[in-house]
Amino acid sequence: MLARAANGFADPRDRGLLTDLVYGTLRHHILLDHALEPLLRHPERLPELVRHSLRAGAYELLIRGTSRHAAVNDWVEVVKAAQPRLSGLANAVLRRVEAPRDLAPWHSASLPQWLWKELAELLGEDALPAARGMLEPEPLWLSAVRPGAAESLLASGCEVKEGPVPGSLAVRSPVPLPQLPAFREGEVQPQNPASRLPVIALEARPGERVLDLAAGNGIKTAQLAAAGALVTAVEIGEEKSRRAQENLARLKLEAQHVAADLRSPPPLQPAGRVLLDAPCTGTGTLRGNPEIKLRLQPGDVGELAKLQSEMLDSAAVLVERGGQLVYSVCALTPQEGPRQIRSFLARHPEFTPVPVEGLIPEGVKVRRLEHGVVVLPCGGLDGFFIARLHRS
């Protein structure tokens, strides 16, 4: 079955298995290559399809626990169909591959060594549980935009459980999300529960004016608008603003949209509540975006940290005296989190940090830092750094 699926003939009922196969292989990619390496003289010379097939076969054997006979036969057939000369090699490798022993922590975490060091510096003893947490699958996370969303999902045959953050739902749906009436009628929004926490930390009140900087596709804009805030969403590109407006229309919510480059302060009236969920490496979202760790380079962290610094300086100008600024990134590197805030506070003595952890629900695991918290990517949550700053 998997051989047919890999060649594009999957029955729709097998999509869940295929999703796990693709995402699981990507998540464990570095560990799988480490297990295959002793059995391959020159893996870099193999055709890409063969290398991917060996990884997928190793994933089935070492992680999923598929029987060796079934996994080997399936993936040898895939290789044979495309590269007949190499089917013997695939057979020999997959029959011999074993889980490596005495793993280095970055292999156990299936991370590049440089990224593991970043994670370990930020999280200490929480680093390995956090990294392993991002190797696990997650449910379909939805945010309830209005009352009755859970009931609507249940009526559509979904399995629904409350998530660890108020308003979040863990859902198992019998049909693709766009086919659910709750989605079409604007009752739910796809959103990881950890993504709700920066808005919760902002504590915006109904009727209060809020600036959502670097609003992206407007997911947090929608969360703020649903809570009754008067939101101005700022994004550099018209395309993202257009998508955000379309999504808000589906949700039957409203916000003002402004296009501006936040590397310098835009001509906007300051607000009492300002959210900057800044562009980042996304290293807290490796569970859902495992390809990030395969393309990200150490220099990318510094470039993004420079952009974040410029955007923070712009955000500072937009906070009213006595107002609050929440800075967040779905990243797990020190440079984008605690170092960024220390540098900001040195440049802006008019701001002081305000504790965040008291606003985090008890079911969410966090690591408290000097200025802010890290939401640990465990239990299906993304990793986030969140800091709250008060302008005196």
Side-chain angles (χ1 to χ4, degrees), residues 2-298:
L2 281 174
R4 296 195 308 274
N7 282 287
F9 300 100
D11 187 284
R13 293 170 296 181
D14 299 325
R15 286 174 183 166
L17 179 59
L18 284 175
T19 298
D20 177 75
L21 180 65
V22 172
Y23 275 84
T25 301
L26 282 170
R27 290 178 187 130
H28 293 269
H29 184 285
I30 292 169
L31 173 63
L32 298 173
D33 276 4
H34 182 62
L36 291 166
E37 185 178 11
L39 305 175
L40 297 168
R41 290 184 180 179
H42 299 289
E44 72 282 355
R45 297 181 185 176
L46 291 174
E48 280 297 298
L49 182 139
V50 175
R51 295 178 68 183
H52 293 328
S53 297
L54 292 175
R55 290 177 183 128
Y59 171 70
E60 284 209 76
L61 292 165
L62 306 183
I63 309 299
R64 282 186 59 91
T66 304
S67 75
R68 193 168 292 266
H69 175 76
V72 172
N73 284 353
D74 269 345
W75 290 105
V76 169
E77 286 300 312
V78 172
V79 173
K80 184 183 293 185
Q83 298 283 342
R85 294 184 304 104
L86 296 175
S87 61
L89 177 143
N91 182 70
V93 169
L94 292 177
R95 289 191 182 279
R96 294 171 57 199
V97 67
E98 299 288 348
R101 299 180 180 179
D102 302 321
L103 289 171
W106 52 89
H107 286 139
S108 182
S110 201
L111 289 174
Q113 185 174 357
W114 72 268
L115 185 53
W116 163 256
K117 291 180 178 178
E118 295 275 339
L119 192 68
E121 180 184 339
L122 181 69
L123 297 182
E125 69 274 10
D126 291 323
L128 194 54
R132 286 175 172 168
M134 289 190 286
L135 297 176
E136 300 296 327
E138 63 183 326
L140 170 61
W141 291 114
L142 299 177
S143 288
V145 177
R146 53 184 55 88
E151 289 75 11
S152 176
L153 292 167
L154 289 167
S156 298
C158 296
E159 297 176 18
V160 182
K161 295 181 180 179
E162 289 189 5
V165 177
S168 65
L169 302 171
V171 178
R172 186 173 181 179
S173 173
V175 297
L177 178 62
Q179 296 180 19
L180 291 173
F183 179 82
R184 295 198 307 268
E185 295 167 14
E187 297 176 324
V188 294
Q189 169 65 50
Q191 185 179 23
N192 189 280
S195 176
R196 295 183 61 80
L197 295 173
V199 171
I200 291 174
L202 193 63
E203 291 192 301
R205 295 179 292 271
E208 190 171 19
R209 186 166 167 272
V210 176
L211 297 179
D212 181 12
L213 306 181
N217 291 327
I219 305 304
K220 294 180 180 65
T221 302
Q223 185 182 346
L224 287 161
L230 304 178
V231 193
T232 298
V234 183
E235 182 53 59
I236 190 170
E238 296 285 355
E239 178 61 24
K240 284 188 177 181
S241 290
R242 183 186 62 78
R243 291 200 297 267
Q245 291 176 60
E246 290 175 352
N247 189 53
L248 283 171
R250 177 183 67 84
L251 298 171
K252 302 176 180 64
L253 297 171
E254 294 182 356
Q256 181 183 2
H257 295 269
V258 174
D261 186 339
L262 289 167
R263 287 176 293 183
S264 58
L268 292 172
Q269 179 184 350
R273 306 281 171 176
V274 176
L275 172 64
L276 173 59
D277 187 44
C280 66
T281 56
T283 44
T285 70
L286 296 181
R287 177 188 291 103
N289 302 283
E291 75 285 352
I292 288 175
K293 61 185 170 185
L294 304 180
R295 61 171 170 77
L296 192 68
Q297 298 299 317

Side-chain angles (χ1 to χ4, degrees), residues 314-377:
S314 296
V317 177
L318 296 174
V319 181
E320 291 178 350
R321 293 180 180 179
Q324 305 287 338
L325 167 63
V326 167
Y327 168 79
S328 64
V329 283
C330 54
L332 298 176
T333 68
Q335 201 170 351
E336 297 174 273
R339 289 189 206 162
Q340 188 69 263
I341 294 303
R342 280 199 299 270
S343 177
F344 174 82
L345 292 172
R347 297 193 307 273
H348 296 275
E350 72 274 20
F351 282 88
T352 54
V354 179
V356 175
E357 52 271 23
L359 301 172
I360 305 296
E362 290 184 3
V364 177
K365 295 180 179 179
V366 301
R367 185 176 180 87
R368 181 180 178 180
L369 304 178
E370 181 183 8
H371 305 311
V373 299
V374 176
V375 178
L376 300 179

